[in-house]
């Protein structure tokens, strides 16, 4: 049995997992698989998995987020499948595959990944004499220029902050969570994290960023009225970001660029994405 969160099983534009399962079942009559869609919140799926495993009817595979791997593992809900998973390691980037590891254990295979990128409205940038920012200093300067014209080249999104800020800190060269022996080490105050927080505190204090929930109406309204012309977000946000612009003057004006250098070189960090375990 395969359990999957509603956000990604199925997902528009992709082959539904149910079709893949139907094909498998037709080709393997002795090994039949059932796909189950979980319609609750992704965060609630962990409780469901824990309940099902304790009841003895847990799924063989589950699609969950990378950030949930350690929690699932320490609760004893995942098996070490290193012997099988290592056969496929060369098919993935080192960063994506490392998300499947807890110490020496490998608990699944990546399904996709969500590196941070920079989205921007090229026409609006050109009107302001701006290029896509290549460094954090560029982004700081662009924020001031845009704000003076009543525009924002970023949005500070507190509802996305958990993964969003840790991903930016990773892009700045920091790792918030590591292990030492059988203990966790947590450090969210490294030099990279300080650069990230200093940037956001600066543009917040200067009213040079749009402070709004990423998944609230304010974000979409700012996109549609043209006041929000740039955004640091995960690559998977493209559809969510631009669908509301269909039929508006801004349709076709947005571009995607590499995340600006946050001080550690050409790096990005992951903001969400599911994997099968």
């Amino acid at each position: 049995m395969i359990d999957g969160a509603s956000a990604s099983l199925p997902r528009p534009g992709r082959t539904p997992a149910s079709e893949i399962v139907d094909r498998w079942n037709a080709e393997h009559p002795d090994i039949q698989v059932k796909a189950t869609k979980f319609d609750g919140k992704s965060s609630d799926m962990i409780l469901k998995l824990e309940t099902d495993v304790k009841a003895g009817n847990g799924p063989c595979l589950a699609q969950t987020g990378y950030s949930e791997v350690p929690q699932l593992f320490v609760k004893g809900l995942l098996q070490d499948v290193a012997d099988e998973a290592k056969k496929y390691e060369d098919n993935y980037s080192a960063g994506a595959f490392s998300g499947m590891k807890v110490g020496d254990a490998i608990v699944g295979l990546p399904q996709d990944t969500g590196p941070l990128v920079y989205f921007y409205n090229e026409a609006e940038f050109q009107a302001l004499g701006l290029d896509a920012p290549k460094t954090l200093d560029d982004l700081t300067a662009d924020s001031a220029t845009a704000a003076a014209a009543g525009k924002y080249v970023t949005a500070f999104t507190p509802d996305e902050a958990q993964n969003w800020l840790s991903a930016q800190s990773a892009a700045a060269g920091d790792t918030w969570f590591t292990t030492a022996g059988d203990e966790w080490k947590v450090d969210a105050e490294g030099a990279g994290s300080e650069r990230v927080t200093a940037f956001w505190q600066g543009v917040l204090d200067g009213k040079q960023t749009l402070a709004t929930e990423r998944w609230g109406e304010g974000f979409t309204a700012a996109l549609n009225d043209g006041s929000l012309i740039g955004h640091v977000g995960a690559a998977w946000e493209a559809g969510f970001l631009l669908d509301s612009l269909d039929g508006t003057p801004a349709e076709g004006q947005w571009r995607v660029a590499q995340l600006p250098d946050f001080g550690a070189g050409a790096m990005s960090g992951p903001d969400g994405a599911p994997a099968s375990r």
Side-chain angles (χ1 to χ4, degrees), residues 161-211:
Q162 180 178 352
N163 290 332
W164 187 63
L165 289 176
S166 64
Q168 291 174 56
S169 296
D174 279 5
T175 301
W176 281 6
F177 304 99
T178 57
T179 56
D182 60 355
E183 295 182 347
W184 287 103
K185 285 186 61 178
V186 181
D187 183 5
E189 299 180 351
S193 299
E194 288 185 358
R195 282 195 298 274
V196 171
T197 54
F199 165 74
W200 286 111
Q201 192 63 59
V203 292
L204 283 167
D205 290 346
K207 302 188 184 306
Q208 297 170 353
T209 189
L210 175 68

Short mmCIF file of all heavy atoms in Angstrom, two decimals, residues 161-211:
data_model
loop_
_atom_site.label_atom_id
_atom_site.label_comp_id
_atom_site.label_asym_id
_atom_site.label_seq_id
_atom_site.Cartn_x
_atom_site.Cartn_y
_atom_site.Cartn_z
N ALA A 161 7.91 30.50 6.78
CA ALA A 161 9.23 30.83 7.33
C ALA A 161 10.05 29.61 7.76
O ALA A 161 11.27 29.62 7.64
CB ALA A 161 9.08 31.80 8.50
N GLN A 162 9.41 28.57 8.28
CA GLN A 162 10.17 27.44 8.84
C GLN A 162 11.14 26.86 7.82
O GLN A 162 12.36 26.79 8.05
CB GLN A 162 9.22 26.36 9.34
CG GLN A 162 9.96 25.15 9.93
CD GLN A 162 8.99 24.11 10.48
OE1 GLN A 162 7.80 24.33 10.54
NE2 GLN A 162 9.51 22.98 10.87
N ASN A 163 10.62 26.42 6.68
CA ASN A 163 11.49 25.87 5.64
C ASN A 163 12.17 26.96 4.83
O ASN A 163 13.30 26.80 4.38
CB ASN A 163 10.69 24.96 4.70
CG ASN A 163 10.26 23.68 5.36
OD1 ASN A 163 10.91 23.18 6.28
ND2 ASN A 163 9.15 23.12 4.91
N TRP A 164 11.47 28.06 4.63
CA TRP A 164 11.94 29.16 3.78
C TRP A 164 13.22 29.79 4.33
O TRP A 164 14.20 29.98 3.61
CB TRP A 164 10.81 30.17 3.68
CG TRP A 164 10.97 31.31 2.74
CD1 TRP A 164 11.10 31.27 1.38
CD2 TRP A 164 10.95 32.69 3.10
NE1 TRP A 164 11.16 32.54 0.88
CE2 TRP A 164 11.07 33.43 1.90
CE3 TRP A 164 10.84 33.37 4.31
CZ2 TRP A 164 11.08 34.82 1.89
CZ3 TRP A 164 10.84 34.76 4.30
CH2 TRP A 164 10.97 35.47 3.10
N LEU A 165 13.23 30.09 5.63
CA LEU A 165 14.41 30.72 6.24
C LEU A 165 15.55 29.73 6.42
O LEU A 165 16.72 30.09 6.26
CB LEU A 165 14.04 31.38 7.57
CG LEU A 165 13.18 32.64 7.47
CD1 LEU A 165 12.80 33.15 8.87
CD2 LEU A 165 13.89 33.74 6.70
N SER A 166 15.24 28.49 6.77
CA SER A 166 16.32 27.51 6.91
C SER A 166 16.97 27.25 5.56
O SER A 166 18.18 27.03 5.47
CB SER A 166 15.79 26.20 7.51
OG SER A 166 14.85 25.58 6.66
N ALA A 167 16.17 27.30 4.48
CA ALA A 167 16.72 27.11 3.13
C ALA A 167 17.64 28.27 2.76
O ALA A 167 18.69 28.08 2.14
CB ALA A 167 15.59 26.98 2.11
N GLN A 168 17.25 29.48 3.12
CA GLN A 168 18.10 30.63 2.83
C GLN A 168 19.39 30.55 3.64
O GLN A 168 20.48 30.90 3.14
CB GLN A 168 17.36 31.92 3.15
CG GLN A 168 16.21 32.19 2.19
CD GLN A 168 15.41 33.40 2.60
OE1 GLN A 168 15.94 34.50 2.76
NE2 GLN A 168 14.11 33.21 2.78
N SER A 169 19.29 30.10 4.87
CA SER A 169 20.50 29.94 5.69
C SER A 169 21.41 28.88 5.10
O SER A 169 22.64 29.00 5.14
CB SER A 169 20.11 29.58 7.13
OG SER A 169 19.39 30.64 7.74
N ALA A 170 20.81 27.82 4.55
CA ALA A 170 21.61 26.80 3.87
C ALA A 170 22.32 27.40 2.67
O ALA A 170 23.49 27.10 2.40
CB ALA A 170 20.73 25.64 3.44
N ALA A 171 21.62 28.26 1.93
CA ALA A 171 22.23 28.93 0.78
C ALA A 171 23.35 29.87 1.22
O ALA A 171 24.27 30.17 0.44
CB ALA A 171 21.17 29.72 0.01
N ALA A 172 23.27 30.32 2.47
CA ALA A 172 24.32 31.20 3.02
C ALA A 172 25.45 30.40 3.68
O ALA A 172 26.36 30.98 4.24
CB ALA A 172 23.70 32.17 4.03
N GLY A 173 25.35 29.06 3.62
CA GLY A 173 26.44 28.23 4.11
C GLY A 173 26.22 27.60 5.46
O GLY A 173 27.13 26.95 5.99
N ASP A 174 25.04 27.74 6.04
CA ASP A 174 24.78 27.20 7.38
C ASP A 174 23.91 25.95 7.34
O ASP A 174 23.13 25.75 6.42
CB ASP A 174 24.06 28.25 8.25
CG ASP A 174 25.02 29.27 8.83
OD1 ASP A 174 26.22 29.23 8.50
OD2 ASP A 174 24.57 30.13 9.62
N THR A 175 24.05 25.13 8.36
CA THR A 175 23.17 23.98 8.57
C THR A 175 22.60 24.08 9.97
O THR A 175 23.35 24.10 10.95
CB THR A 175 23.95 22.64 8.43
OG1 THR A 175 24.52 22.58 7.13
CG2 THR A 175 23.01 21.46 8.64
N TRP A 176 21.29 24.17 10.07
CA TRP A 176 20.65 24.36 11.38
C TRP A 176 20.68 23.10 12.23
O TRP A 176 20.84 23.17 13.45
CB TRP A 176 19.21 24.81 11.19
CG TRP A 176 19.06 26.26 10.85
CD1 TRP A 176 20.05 27.16 10.60
CD2 TRP A 176 17.83 26.99 10.73
NE1 TRP A 176 19.54 28.39 10.33
CE2 TRP A 176 18.17 28.32 10.41
CE3 TRP A 176 16.50 26.64 10.87
CZ2 TRP A 176 17.20 29.31 10.22
CZ3 TRP A 176 15.53 27.62 10.68
CH2 TRP A 176 15.88 28.94 10.37
N PHE A 177 20.51 21.95 11.61
CA PHE A 177 20.38 20.70 12.38
C PHE A 177 21.42 19.69 11.93
O PHE A 177 21.49 19.34 10.75
CB PHE A 177 18.97 20.10 12.20
CG PHE A 177 17.86 21.04 12.56
CD1 PHE A 177 17.18 21.75 11.58
CD2 PHE A 177 17.50 21.23 13.89
CE1 PHE A 177 16.16 22.62 11.91
CE2 PHE A 177 16.49 22.10 14.23
CZ PHE A 177 15.81 22.80 13.24
N THR A 178 22.24 19.23 12.86
CA THR A 178 23.22 18.19 12.59
C THR A 178 23.17 17.19 13.75
O THR A 178 22.49 17.41 14.75
CB THR A 178 24.64 18.76 12.45
OG1 THR A 178 24.97 19.48 13.66
CG2 THR A 178 24.75 19.69 11.26
N THR A 179 23.92 16.10 13.60
CA THR A 179 23.98 15.12 14.68
C THR A 179 25.43 14.96 15.13
O THR A 179 26.37 15.12 14.35
CB THR A 179 23.45 13.75 14.22
OG1 THR A 179 24.18 13.32 13.07
CG2 THR A 179 21.98 13.83 13.89
N ALA A 180 25.59 14.66 16.40
CA ALA A 180 26.89 14.34 16.98
C ALA A 180 26.70 13.11 17.84
O ALA A 180 26.11 13.19 18.92
CB ALA A 180 27.41 15.52 17.81
N GLY A 181 27.15 11.97 17.34
CA GLY A 181 26.88 10.73 18.04
C GLY A 181 25.40 10.44 18.01
O GLY A 181 24.79 10.38 16.95
N ASP A 182 24.79 10.28 19.18
CA ASP A 182 23.35 10.01 19.23
C ASP A 182 22.57 11.24 19.70
O ASP A 182 21.46 11.13 20.23
CB ASP A 182 23.07 8.83 20.16
CG ASP A 182 23.55 9.07 21.59
OD1 ASP A 182 24.18 10.12 21.83
OD2 ASP A 182 23.30 8.22 22.46
N GLU A 183 23.14 12.43 19.50
CA GLU A 183 22.48 13.66 19.92
C GLU A 183 22.31 14.62 18.75
O GLU A 183 23.12 14.63 17.81
CB GLU A 183 23.29 14.36 21.03
CG GLU A 183 23.38 13.56 22.33
CD GLU A 183 24.16 14.33 23.39
OE1 GLU A 183 24.82 15.34 23.03
OE2 GLU A 183 24.09 13.94 24.56
N TRP A 184 21.25 15.41 18.83
CA TRP A 184 21.04 16.47 17.84
C TRP A 184 21.83 17.71 18.23
O TRP A 184 21.93 18.04 19.41
CB TRP A 184 19.55 16.83 17.77
CG TRP A 184 18.70 15.82 17.10
CD1 TRP A 184 17.87 14.91 17.69
CD2 TRP A 184 18.58 15.59 15.70
NE1 TRP A 184 17.24 14.14 16.75
CE2 TRP A 184 17.65 14.54 15.52
CE3 TRP A 184 19.17 16.17 14.57
CZ2 TRP A 184 17.30 14.06 14.26
CZ3 TRP A 184 18.81 15.70 13.31
CH2 TRP A 184 17.89 14.66 13.17
N LYS A 185 22.36 18.41 17.24
CA LYS A 185 22.96 19.72 17.43
C LYS A 185 22.13 20.72 16.64
O LYS A 185 21.88 20.52 15.45
CB LYS A 185 24.41 19.75 16.94
CG LYS A 185 25.39 19.05 17.85
CD LYS A 185 26.83 19.26 17.36
CE LYS A 185 27.19 20.73 17.36
NZ LYS A 185 28.60 20.95 16.92
N VAL A 186 21.67 21.77 17.30
CA VAL A 186 20.86 22.80 16.66
C VAL A 186 21.61 24.12 16.74
O VAL A 186 22.01 24.56 17.82
CB VAL A 186 19.49 22.95 17.36
CG1 VAL A 186 18.65 24.01 16.65
CG2 VAL A 186 18.75 21.61 17.37
N ASP A 187 21.82 24.74 15.59
CA ASP A 187 22.52 26.02 15.54
C ASP A 187 21.91 26.89 14.45
O ASP A 187 22.18 26.69 13.26
CB ASP A 187 24.01 25.81 15.26
CG ASP A 187 24.80 27.13 15.28
OD1 ASP A 187 24.19 28.17 15.60
OD2 ASP A 187 26.00 27.11 14.95
N ALA A 188 21.06 27.82 14.85
CA ALA A 188 20.43 28.74 13.91
C ALA A 188 21.03 30.13 14.02
O ALA A 188 20.40 31.11 13.60
CB ALA A 188 18.92 28.79 14.16
N GLU A 189 22.24 30.22 14.57
CA GLU A 189 22.85 31.54 14.79
C GLU A 189 24.23 31.63 14.16
O GLU A 189 25.09 32.38 14.62
CB GLU A 189 22.94 31.82 16.30
CG GLU A 189 21.57 31.86 16.98
CD GLU A 189 21.68 32.15 18.47
OE1 GLU A 189 22.80 32.15 18.99
OE2 GLU A 189 20.63 32.36 19.11
N GLY A 190 24.47 30.88 13.10
CA GLY A 190 25.74 30.95 12.40
C GLY A 190 25.87 32.23 11.59
O GLY A 190 24.92 33.02 11.48
N ALA A 191 27.03 32.40 10.98
CA ALA A 191 27.30 33.63 10.21
C ALA A 191 26.33 33.76 9.04
O ALA A 191 25.84 34.85 8.72
CB ALA A 191 28.74 33.63 9.72
N GLY A 192 26.02 32.64 8.38
CA GLY A 192 25.09 32.69 7.25
C GLY A 192 23.70 33.06 7.70
O GLY A 192 23.02 33.88 7.06
N SER A 193 23.24 32.47 8.79
CA SER A 193 21.90 32.77 9.30
C SER A 193 21.81 34.24 9.72
O SER A 193 20.77 34.89 9.54
CB SER A 193 21.58 31.86 10.49
OG SER A 193 21.60 30.50 10.11
N GLU A 194 22.89 34.75 10.26
CA GLU A 194 22.90 36.16 10.66
C GLU A 194 22.79 37.08 9.45
O GLU A 194 22.12 38.11 9.51
CB GLU A 194 24.17 36.47 11.46
CG GLU A 194 24.18 35.87 12.86
CD GLU A 194 25.38 36.30 13.67
OE1 GLU A 194 26.24 37.04 13.12
OE2 GLU A 194 25.47 35.91 14.85
N ARG A 195 23.43 36.69 8.33
CA ARG A 195 23.31 37.50 7.11
C ARG A 195 21.86 37.50 6.62
O ARG A 195 21.34 38.53 6.19
CB ARG A 195 24.22 36.94 6.01
CG ARG A 195 25.68 37.31 6.15
CD ARG A 195 26.45 37.06 4.87
NE ARG A 195 26.46 35.66 4.47
CZ ARG A 195 27.33 34.76 4.89
NH1 ARG A 195 28.26 35.11 5.76
NH2 ARG A 195 27.27 33.52 4.47
N VAL A 196 21.25 36.34 6.66
CA VAL A 196 19.87 36.23 6.20
C VAL A 196 18.93 37.07 7.06
O VAL A 196 18.11 37.84 6.56
CB VAL A 196 19.41 34.76 6.21
CG1 VAL A 196 17.92 34.64 5.94
CG2 VAL A 196 20.20 33.95 5.17
N THR A 197 19.04 36.93 8.38
CA THR A 197 18.14 37.67 9.27
C THR A 197 18.42 39.17 9.22
O THR A 197 17.48 39.97 9.30
CB THR A 197 18.28 37.18 10.72
OG1 THR A 197 19.65 37.22 11.13
CG2 THR A 197 17.79 35.75 10.85
N ALA A 198 19.69 39.56 9.03
CA ALA A 198 20.01 40.98 8.93
C ALA A 198 19.37 41.59 7.68
O ALA A 198 18.87 42.72 7.70
CB ALA A 198 21.52 41.17 8.90
N PHE A 199 19.40 40.83 6.58
CA PHE A 199 18.76 41.33 5.36
C PHE A 199 17.28 41.55 5.58
O PHE A 199 16.74 42.64 5.29
CB PHE A 199 18.97 40.35 4.20
CG PHE A 199 18.06 40.62 3.04
CD1 PHE A 199 18.29 41.70 2.21
CD2 PHE A 199 16.94 39.82 2.82
CE1 PHE A 199 17.42 41.98 1.14
CE2 PHE A 199 16.07 40.09 1.77
CZ PHE A 199 16.32 41.18 0.92
N TRP A 200 16.59 40.52 6.09
CA TRP A 200 15.14 40.64 6.23
C TRP A 200 14.75 41.69 7.28
O TRP A 200 13.78 42.44 7.08
CB TRP A 200 14.52 39.29 6.57
CG TRP A 200 14.51 38.38 5.38
CD1 TRP A 200 15.24 37.25 5.19
CD2 TRP A 200 13.73 38.55 4.19
NE1 TRP A 200 14.98 36.71 3.96
CE2 TRP A 200 14.05 37.48 3.33
CE3 TRP A 200 12.79 39.50 3.78
CZ2 TRP A 200 13.47 37.34 2.06
CZ3 TRP A 200 12.20 39.37 2.52
CH2 TRP A 200 12.54 38.30 1.68
N GLN A 201 15.51 41.76 8.37
CA GLN A 201 15.19 42.78 9.37
C GLN A 201 15.37 44.17 8.80
O GLN A 201 14.58 45.08 9.06
CB GLN A 201 16.08 42.60 10.61
CG GLN A 201 15.61 43.42 11.81
CD GLN A 201 14.24 42.99 12.28
OE1 GLN A 201 14.04 41.84 12.65
NE2 GLN A 201 13.28 43.92 12.28
N GLY A 202 16.40 44.31 7.95
CA GLY A 202 16.65 45.61 7.34
C GLY A 202 15.53 46.05 6.41
O GLY A 202 15.07 47.21 6.49
N VAL A 203 15.08 45.16 5.54
CA VAL A 203 14.02 45.56 4.61
C VAL A 203 12.67 45.66 5.30
O VAL A 203 11.80 46.44 4.87
CB VAL A 203 13.95 44.60 3.39
CG1 VAL A 203 15.20 44.74 2.53
CG2 VAL A 203 13.73 43.16 3.81
N LEU A 204 12.47 44.91 6.38
CA LEU A 204 11.24 45.07 7.15
C LEU A 204 11.22 46.42 7.85
O LEU A 204 10.22 47.15 7.80
CB LEU A 204 11.11 43.94 8.17
CG LEU A 204 10.66 42.58 7.64
CD1 LEU A 204 10.89 41.50 8.70
CD2 LEU A 204 9.19 42.61 7.22
N ASP A 205 12.34 46.75 8.50
CA ASP A 205 12.41 48.04 9.20
C ASP A 205 12.26 49.20 8.22
O ASP A 205 11.66 50.24 8.55
CB ASP A 205 13.73 48.15 9.96
CG ASP A 205 13.79 47.22 11.16
OD1 ASP A 205 12.74 46.69 11.56
OD2 ASP A 205 14.91 47.01 11.69
N GLY A 206 12.83 49.04 7.03
CA GLY A 206 12.77 50.11 6.03
C GLY A 206 11.50 50.10 5.20
O GLY A 206 11.37 50.91 4.27
N LYS A 207 10.58 49.19 5.50
CA LYS A 207 9.33 49.05 4.75
C LYS A 207 9.62 48.85 3.26
O LYS A 207 8.94 49.41 2.38
CB LYS A 207 8.40 50.23 4.99
CG LYS A 207 8.04 50.43 6.46
CD LYS A 207 6.98 51.47 6.65
CE LYS A 207 6.69 51.73 8.12
NZ LYS A 207 6.35 50.51 8.87
N GLN A 208 10.65 48.02 2.99
CA GLN A 208 11.07 47.77 1.61
C GLN A 208 10.76 46.34 1.17
O GLN A 208 11.29 45.88 0.15
CB GLN A 208 12.57 48.06 1.48
CG GLN A 208 12.92 49.52 1.74
CD GLN A 208 14.40 49.77 1.85
OE1 GLN A 208 15.21 48.82 1.87
NE2 GLN A 208 14.80 51.02 1.94
N THR A 209 9.95 45.65 1.92
CA THR A 209 9.46 44.33 1.54
C THR A 209 7.99 44.24 1.88
O THR A 209 7.51 44.97 2.78
CB THR A 209 10.25 43.20 2.24
OG1 THR A 209 9.88 41.93 1.70
CG2 THR A 209 9.98 43.20 3.75
N LEU A 210 7.28 43.38 1.18
CA LEU A 210 5.86 43.17 1.47
C LEU A 210 5.74 42.10 2.53
O LEU A 210 6.13 40.95 2.31
CB LEU A 210 5.12 42.73 0.20
CG LEU A 210 3.66 42.36 0.36
CD1 LEU A 210 2.83 43.60 0.71
CD2 LEU A 210 3.11 41.68 -0.89
N ALA A 211 5.25 42.45 3.71
CA ALA A 211 5.06 41.49 4.79
C ALA A 211 3.65 40.93 4.71
O ALA A 211 2.68 41.64 5.02
CB ALA A 211 5.31 42.15 6.15
#
